[in-house]
Amino acid sequence: MTTPDPPAAPAPPPNAPKDHGRAGRDLRAAVISAVVLVAAILLSLLFWKPAFMGIVAVAVVVAVWELHQGLAAKGIDIPEQPLMLGGVVMVVVAYVWGAPALVTATAVTALVIMLWLLRRGVDGYVMNATASVFTLIYVPFLASFVALLLGEGGTAPAFGLDLDDPGVRGVITFIAITIASDTGGYIAGVLFGRHPMARVISPKKSWEGFAGSMVATIAVGVWLVTSFLGGDWWVGVLLGVIAAVMATLGDLCESVMKRDLGIKDMSQVIPGHGGLMDRLDSLLATVAPIWLVLYYLVF
């Protein structure tokens, strides 16, 4: 007597998201997108600094647009125009005139946003104003620390490769350490992840992945600070620890936001990665403390 074949598994719906395994993403598309983005950043940074600041300004505009879309899922309507314009102004003044100008531009933009919302009337004013100021600090203000970092080498719009520029070296160090955190955490999490760090917030994030981030950031931090920036090795250790902790917290905070808003990704503007904010979360969280460490202990 032959045993009947088991019933075939039902086919997934045509629009069902693909299962990319423990990686949680389309690795091929993610790698291609990352290479293109890193190449654009490095080319602009190394050969003409104003072009890099243009990329930062565009990133701020796109990130504000994504947050506007995401917050709308909960009925929160932040004003895009003043946030985008004010965000670009904040980046520019931080690069050209430094931290005092950034503080002033942030305060003025916050006031303009609150006045802008008065036109809509009473209903939802507190909710929208609060979300707008949160967006202002979370995206343009933190992103402007990249401009502060780059401005350490001066703001003259010279063409050509200049690796002696301390601002360029600082930004490369910041980006490399943050990438090391994401890459080390990703590899260690995929290979060894067994103990969830925050199951409810981000099920794929593990303590093993965090350990991988820590090892990677400390190694890259010590190497870059000693050989690239001419600083002390312990500053590299400090930088690595701060970067690993802040990048992880930044990722968890954005995961909390998306779960609260009921969305998977902020958008789909970057193939294999989701939204721009899904890539900026760790960068935005690490840039301010990295600037502080480099400004007071290296530059």
Side-chain angles (χ1 to χ4, degrees):
M1 181 176 178
T2 58
T3 304
D5 294 333
N15 295 325
K18 293 182 179 180
D19 181 10
H20 298 298
R22 294 176 67 182
R25 67 178 75 168
D26 184 342
L27 189 57
R28 181 175 179 274
V31 169
I32 294 173
S33 299
V35 169
V36 172
L37 287 172
V38 171
I41 288 171
L42 287 178
L43 287 173
S44 63
L45 183 62
L46 294 175
F47 289 97
W48 196 46
K49 294 198 296 184
F52 174 74
M53 294 315 306
I55 291 176
V56 174
V58 170
V60 166
V61 170
V62 174
V64 168
W65 171 78
E66 286 186 343
L67 281 175
H68 178 267
Q69 300 294 111
L71 292 169
K74 285 289 187 177
I76 303 172
D77 186 14
I78 61 175
E80 288 181 298
Q81 295 88 345
L83 274 168
M84 290 177 177
L85 179 59
V88 171
V89 170
M90 288 162 62
V91 169
V92 172
V93 300
Y95 177 61
V96 177
W97 292 297
L102 171 60
V103 172
T104 302
T106 302
V108 171
T109 303
L111 179 60
V112 169
I113 288 169
M114 288 187 285
L115 293 175
W116 185 285
L117 288 171
L118 286 176
R119 304 182 309 161
R120 299 181 182 177
V122 175
D123 291 342
Y125 180 84
V126 172
M127 177 179 66
N128 292 328
T130 303
S132 299
V133 175
F134 165 77
T135 301
L136 180 71
I137 299 300
Y138 184 35
V139 178
F141 180 73
L142 291 180
S144 295
F145 278 84
V146 182
L148 292 178
L149 196 55
L150 186 61
E152 293 299 327
T155 60
F159 288 91
L161 183 62
D162 185 10
L163 282 177
D164 293 329
D165 187 318
V168 171
R169 288 179 176 235
V171 172
I172 290 176
T173 300
F174 149 65
I175 294 174
I177 289 180
T178 308
I179 290 175
S181 175
D182 288 347
T183 304
Y186 174 75
I187 293 174
V190 169
L191 295 178
F192 310 112
R194 297 292 183 274
H195 301 87
M197 177 180 287
R199 190 186 301 273
V200 175
I201 298 173
S202 183
K204 294 184 183 297
K205 189 167 290 297
S206 65
W207 285 107
E208 292 82 359
F210 177 70
S213 293
M214 188 71 71
V215 170
T217 54
I218 290 176
V220 172
V222 171
W223 173 56
L224 287 175
V225 169
T226 56
S227 64
F228 194 51
L229 299 180
D232 297 322
W233 66 269
W234 62 269
V235 177
V237 174
L238 176 63
L239 211 59
V241 171
I242 290 174
V245 172
M246 295 307 298
T248 300
L249 290 176
D251 187 43
L252 289 174
C253 287
E254 209 231 355
S255 295
V256 167
M257 288 174 55
K258 290 190 292 186
R259 286 188 176 275
D260 185 31
L261 296 173
I263 56 179
K264 183 179 183 299
D265 293 315
M266 286 295 181
S267 73
Q268 295 296 326
V269 298
I270 306 177
H273 290 272
L276 184 62
M277 281 299 301
D278 298 302
R279 296 300 93 204
L280 290 181
D281 50 8
S282 54
L283 291 166
L284 290 173
T286 58
V287 63
I290 286 178
W291 174 77
L292 284 170
V293 171
L294 294 181
Y295 183 80
Y296 286 104
L297 299 179
V298 177
F299 292 151

